[in-house]
Amino acid sequence: MGMQEPASVFASLLNLLANAYMYSKLRTEFSIKSRPMVLLWHLFALVCMNAWVWSMVFHTRDTPFTEFMDYTCALSMVMGLYVAAVVRILHSQKKIVATLLTGSLLYFATHVRLLATGVVDYDYNMTVNVIFGAVGSFIWLVYAGYLSARGSRYSSRMLWFVTCSAVVLPLELLDFPPVRRAWDAHAVWHLSTAPLPLLFYQFVIEDLRYTQSRQDKLL
């Protein structure tokens, strides 16, 4: 079908569909105008879906431009996880949030500029993704632990999301010969991450319900 890496394209499509499905559930229940935090999750979902679209394009045809877009959008998704964690937990500390977000956006712009030169240090690029992914996951893990200690049941979804993400990460960092000339480590990693948005967005939806119930009680 003209695809250079059909297994990775297929797995990326599954990730895109999982994000789109959960985004539709989020949109159905929460409108952007309901509260500022909902806008954050709408933007996050769009960033993730855009990243998976470019992952499909890149694995279909590897060119300097599609590689640049794939790497850039992948980092935007990883950093989006980190940014969402910072905003969700520290939303009342506006100065701290503004400082962290400004620094993160400036670094993202600098890294994208580096990728645009075409001289890509793959180890450095991977290290950046792993660090932001690990920091974001750690923040979510702490927050989920806090909710769990307060008796929250939905926190388990985030705990499972972070745990499963960590378990399958070695597939991206390591490598092995392709099975049936298609399913290499990267393709299997994409395949293994496809169910994870179901856990993550279900946590997000439950968390929005939780914050809404707290606001209703205050009223």
Side-chain angles (χ1 to χ4, degrees), residues 170-207:
L171 289 170
E172 173 67 352
L173 302 179
L174 304 176
D175 197 10
F176 55 76
V179 178
R180 296 186 179 276
R181 300 178 63 186
W183 291 99
D184 59 7
H186 187 74
V188 175
W189 177 61
H190 278 336
L191 184 66
S192 64
T193 61
L196 299 186
L198 305 180
L199 287 171
F200 184 84
Y201 285 100
Q202 192 57 50
F203 170 86
V204 170
I205 291 172
E206 293 291 344
D207 192 54

Side-chain angles (χ1 to χ4, degrees), residues 13 17 31-32 46 59 65 90 109 111 158 173 175 192:
L13 174 61
L17 293 176
S31 67
I32 296 178
L46 293 175
H59 290 301
F65 176 72
L90 301 176
H111 191 75
M158 179 58 72
L173 302 179
D175 197 10
S192 64

Side-chain angles (χ1 to χ4, degrees), residues 24-35:
S24 67
K25 296 187 66 173
L26 178 67
R27 288 184 60 187
T28 299
E29 186 167 349
F30 303 98
S31 67
I32 296 178
K33 296 180 180 179
S34 59
R35 62 178 64 86

Side-chain angles (χ1 to χ4, degrees), residues 144 147-160 203 206 210:
L147 291 175
S148 180
R150 293 172 61 89
S152 169
R153 294 182 179 180
Y154 72 89
S155 60
S156 62
R157 292 180 175 84
M158 179 58 72
L159 295 173
W160 276 110
F203 170 86
E206 293 291 344
Y210 168 72

Side-chain angles (χ1 to χ4, degrees), residues 10 12 15 27 30 40 46 52 65-66 107 111 118 124 126 129 162 169 171 185 194-195:
F10 173 71
S12 297
N15 280 274
R27 288 184 60 187
F30 303 98
L40 168 71
L46 293 175
W52 287 115
F65 176 72
T66 60
Y107 182 82
H111 191 75
Y124 173 69
M126 180 62 67
N129 278 271
V162 174
L169 180 60
L171 289 170

Side-chain angles (χ1 to χ4, degrees), residues 112-179:
V112 170
R113 184 179 179 183
L114 174 65
L115 293 176
T117 64
V119 183
V120 181
D121 185 330
Y122 296 97
D123 291 336
Y124 173 69
N125 183 67
M126 180 62 67
T127 300
V128 170
N129 278 271
V130 170
I131 289 176
F132 275 103
V135 173
S137 296
F138 177 75
I139 296 174
W140 281 119
L141 192 63
V142 171
Y143 180 59
Y146 165 77
L147 291 175
S148 180
R150 293 172 61 89
S152 169
R153 294 182 179 180
Y154 72 89
S155 60
S156 62
R157 292 180 175 84
M158 179 58 72
L159 295 173
W160 276 110
F161 170 79
V162 174
T163 301
C164 292
S165 297
V167 169
V168 302
L169 180 60
L171 289 170
E172 173 67 352
L173 302 179
L174 304 176
D175 197 10
F176 55 76
V179 178

